[in-house]
Every structure is written in structure tokens, then in C-alpha cells.
């Protein structure tokens, strides 16, 4: 039986991955901050697929809490086959001179430092077993920069660099590293970016068919299910109606 650890499993891409990996028979370690929602996801998947889960209510930005939650897992649960570094967010969409410092801190702490904190611990477990696969969720925003995307784009460019760096550093240990870089996916992402403003969030997807979270989960599963000698380095997945970060066809 295999185990996947998914950060940001309460909604969007992380929740879709939890469902798809559970359907494939994986046991799941699910990490997020919203306890009730996390437990609900875990209960539903246990009932539906007969798998086992561990829920870790943790904020990936807080190293000590995260580290305690991970390190106190029973030894059998540290045999992680797949790590999906998915927890992440955007806050605001402002020009650099009007940016909010606390938004910048939140994005950098979550998307970059949080990803690093999780990876440091779990990669050591994988190194001990000389096997594992790390999936980093980047973005089109990590391949190019769009107006007012500044700091969010910078964090996703950092994920791109870390993805490449991890692949080099973990090569001697037989660990695969893959970046999955989505364009627009309709999840809670825009609602979070605009701090609960539902109508502004909805406008992001006006007149186009965005990706859905399961499109990305399926791409991740494709990467994970390749034979042992094949690694997908990265994948850029866009809605048909989106040519680049800012070039979008709206009806
Ligand atoms: P959602 O807002 O739907 O999901 C984000 C998840 O991350 C939630 O489960 C949230 O859980 C978790 N999370 C956020 N902050 C923290 C934290 N500090 N500690 C632990 N968990 C956290 O968005 P998406 O599913 O769209 O986003 C998932 C990833 O995909 C992100 O990295 C995002 O940047 C990336 N992405 C999204 C795109 C999109 O268009 N939607 C496109 C390209 C990339 P909780 O609040 O319970 O902690
Ligand atoms: C999230 C999607 O469109 O803001 O990475 O780049 S977008």
C-alpha cells in the first residue's frame, strides 16, 4: 500500500488530488489549517474508498508546529511515496508601489518557505528509503509575469527554481521531482486572492471555461504513474481559452 502526503487538502487542487489518489488506493496524510473541513475530506475518502488517512491541522508557515505534526507521525506513516507540495495562495493584485506588506509576507511565507519546510522533513524520509516522488505545484505565474502579479509571480518563479534545485540535489537518492504548472483553475484561489470578495473572484472566470481542479489532479496522476525510469520534469497546463498569463479569450 502506498502513501501520499498532500498539503492544502481542504479545497481546490489539493482536495481533488486527495480524491484521485484515494481512488487509486493510496493512504493519505492530509495537511491544512481548517480542521473541520480537513476531517470532513478525510472521513469522506475513508468511507468512499476504504483507505486510511491522517489529518494534520497545521499552518505550513509555522515551522515548529509543522515539524512537530510531521515528526510525531507513527513510523509507518513516514513511508511517504508521493509528496504533493500544493498549499499556496495569492493575496491581492496591486502594482508594486501599492502592494500590501502583510500580503507579500503571507505569499512568500506560504508558497516558498512553507514548501521548503515540508520538503526538508519529507525528503529525508524519502532519502532513507531511496525512493519517492515530489510534486511541486507551480503556475504559469512561475513561467512569466503578468501585470500586478509581481510578488505572487516571484513566489512561483521561486518554486520553479526550487523544483529544479531539488531534482539535482535528490538525484543521487533516486527521488523524482516534478513541477505541475497550471494556468487558471476555478477553485477558492480567486476568492482567497480577493479576501472573500466573491463577485470579484467570479469575474476572473467570466466568459471563459477555466480548468477544474480535477484536470490538474489527473496531470499529477499521469506524472506519478509513469514507469520507474521515466520522470516528468514539468508540465504547463492551460485552459484552451488562455494563451499566456494575461492573454485570455473571453466570449
Ligand atoms: P485553494 O484556495 O482552493 O486551495 C488552497 C489550499 O491551500 C487550501 O486547502 C488551503 O487550506 C491551503 N493552504 C493555504 N495556506 C496554507 C497554509 N498556510 N498552511 C496550510 N495550508 C494552507 O486554491 P488552489 O487549489 O487553486 O491552489 C492550490 C495551489 O495551486 C496553490 O499553490 C496555487 O498557487 C496553485 N495554483 C492555482 C491556480 C489557480 O488558478 N487556481 C493556478 C496555478 C497554480 P486551508 O485554508 O484549510 O489551510
Ligand atoms: C494562479 C493562476 O492566473 O494568477 O497561479 O497565474 S494565475
Amino acid at each position: 500500500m502506498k502513501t501520499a502526503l498532500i498539503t492544502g487538502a481542504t479545497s481546490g487542487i489539493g482536495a481533488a488530488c486527495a480524491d484521485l489518489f484515494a481512488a487509486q488506493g493510496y493512504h493519505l496524510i492530509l495537511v491544512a489549517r481548517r480542521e473541520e473541513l480537513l476531517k470532513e475530506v478525510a472521513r469522506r475518502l475513508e468511507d468512499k474508498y476504504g483507505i486510511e488517512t491522517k489529518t494534520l491541522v497545521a499552518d505550513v508557515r509555522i515551522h515548529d508546529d509543522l515539524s512537530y505534526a510531521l515528526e510525531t507521525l507513527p513510523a509507518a506513516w513516514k513511508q511517504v511515496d508521493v509528496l504533493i507540495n500544493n498549499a499556496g495562495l495569492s493575496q491581492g493584485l496591486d502594482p508594486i508601489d501599492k502592494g500590501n506588506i502583510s500580503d507579500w509576507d503571507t505569499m512568500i511565507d506560504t508558497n516558498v518557505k512553507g514548501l521548503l519546510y515540508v520538503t526538508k522533513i519529507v525528503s529525508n524520509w524519502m532519502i532513507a528509503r531511496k525512493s519517492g516522488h515530489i510534486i511541486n505545484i507551480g503556475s504559469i505565474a512561475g513561467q512569466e509575469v503578468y501585470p500586478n502579479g509581481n510578488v505572487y509571480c516571484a513566489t512561483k518563479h521561486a518554486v520553479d527554481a526550487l523544483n529544479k534545485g531539488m531534482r539535482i540535489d535528490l538525484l543521487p537518492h533516486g527521488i523524482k521531482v516534478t513541477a505541475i504548472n497550471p494556468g487558471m483553475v476555478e477553485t477558492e484561489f480567486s476568492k482567497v486572492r480577493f479576501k472573500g470578495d466573491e463577485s470579484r473572484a467570479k469575474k476572473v472566470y467570466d466568459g471563459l471555461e477555466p480548468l477544474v481542479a480535477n484536470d490538474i489532479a489527473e496531470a499529477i496522476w499521469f506524472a506519478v504513474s509513469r514507469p520507474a525510469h521515466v520522470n516528468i520534469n514539468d508540465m504547463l497546463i492551460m485552459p484552451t481559452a488562455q494563451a499566456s498569463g494575461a492573454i485570455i479569450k473571453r466570449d
Side-chain angles (χ1 to χ4, degrees):
M1 197 63 88
K2 292 196 166 182
T3 301
L5 190 159
I6 303 170
T7 66
T10 43
S11 73
I13 295 168
C17 288
D19 200 291
L20 198 153
F21 276 73
Q24 295 293 336
Y26 274 65
H27 293 321
L28 298 176
I29 304 167
L30 304 172
V31 182
R33 295 164 300 175
R34 287 172 289 177
E35 183 168 9
E36 270 318 300
L37 208 46
L38 192 64
K39 296 211 158 124
E40 206 178 292
V41 169
R43 265 195 306 269
R44 187 175 56 76
L45 297 179
E46 283 177 0
D47 291 348
K48 189 168 168 193
Y49 299 110
I51 56 137
E52 291 175 28
T53 66
K54 285 275 179 206
T55 51
L56 304 183
V57 181
D59 185 325
V60 295
R61 292 172 296 177
I62 304 174
H63 180 263
D64 288 354
D65 292 358
L66 176 79
S67 164
Y68 180 80
L70 289 171
E71 294 295 8
T72 53
L73 279 169
W77 281 93
K78 292 180 180 168
Q79 318 268 303
V80 170
D81 299 283
V82 178
L83 164 62
I84 306 181
N85 274 324
N86 165 75
L89 79 180
S90 183
Q91 292 276 268
L93 189 64
D94 303 305
I96 201 83
D97 51 298
K98 303 223 162 31
N100 176 304
I101 301 283
S102 138
D103 287 350
W104 293 355
D105 287 342
T106 302
M107 288 187 276
I108 293 166
D109 288 352
T110 310
N111 301 358
V112 183
K113 291 164 71 180
L115 178 143
L116 282 170
Y117 297 160
V118 176
T119 302
K120 168 115 198 269
I121 295 169
V122 178
S123 64
N124 274 286
W125 299 344
M126 290 177 168
I127 286 169
R129 299 172 66 219
K130 294 231 160 286
S131 97
H133 195 161
I134 299 176
I135 306 284
N136 295 307
I137 306 300
S139 172
I140 178 67
Q143 309 295 305
E144 52 180 84
V145 176
Y146 53 82
N148 301 330
N150 44 62
V151 176
Y152 177 69
C153 294
T155 66
K156 289 298 181 179
H157 276 70
V159 171
D160 187 50
L162 289 171
N163 184 66
K164 290 169 179 150
M166 279 180 210
R167 187 175 310 114
I168 295 167
D169 296 349
L170 298 175
L171 179 69
H173 306 288
I175 295 166
K176 295 188 185 189
V177 180
T178 298
I180 300 291
N181 299 315
M184 292 166 83
V185 191
E186 191 163 10
T187 60
E188 291 182 7
F189 179 86
S190 293
K191 194 174 132 198
V192 171
R193 170 172 252 171
F194 300 126
K195 299 171 183 169
D197 184 339
E198 303 247 14
S199 74
R200 193 172 174 201
K202 224 170 157 0
K203 280 204 185 80
V204 172
Y205 311 107
D206 262 1
L208 82 137
E209 186 173 354
L211 298 170
V212 295
N214 192 53
D215 296 325
I216 304 306
E218 284 182 349
I220 293 169
W221 178 251
F222 176 80
V224 166
S225 59
R226 291 313 82 209
H229 69 289
V230 178
N231 184 57
I232 306 291
N233 278 9
D234 49 53
M235 228 193 268
L236 178 61
I237 306 149
M238 304 290 283
T240 304
Q242 186 182 14
S244 73
I247 303 175
I248 295 160
K249 177 177 174 288
R250 294 184 195 268
D251 297 330

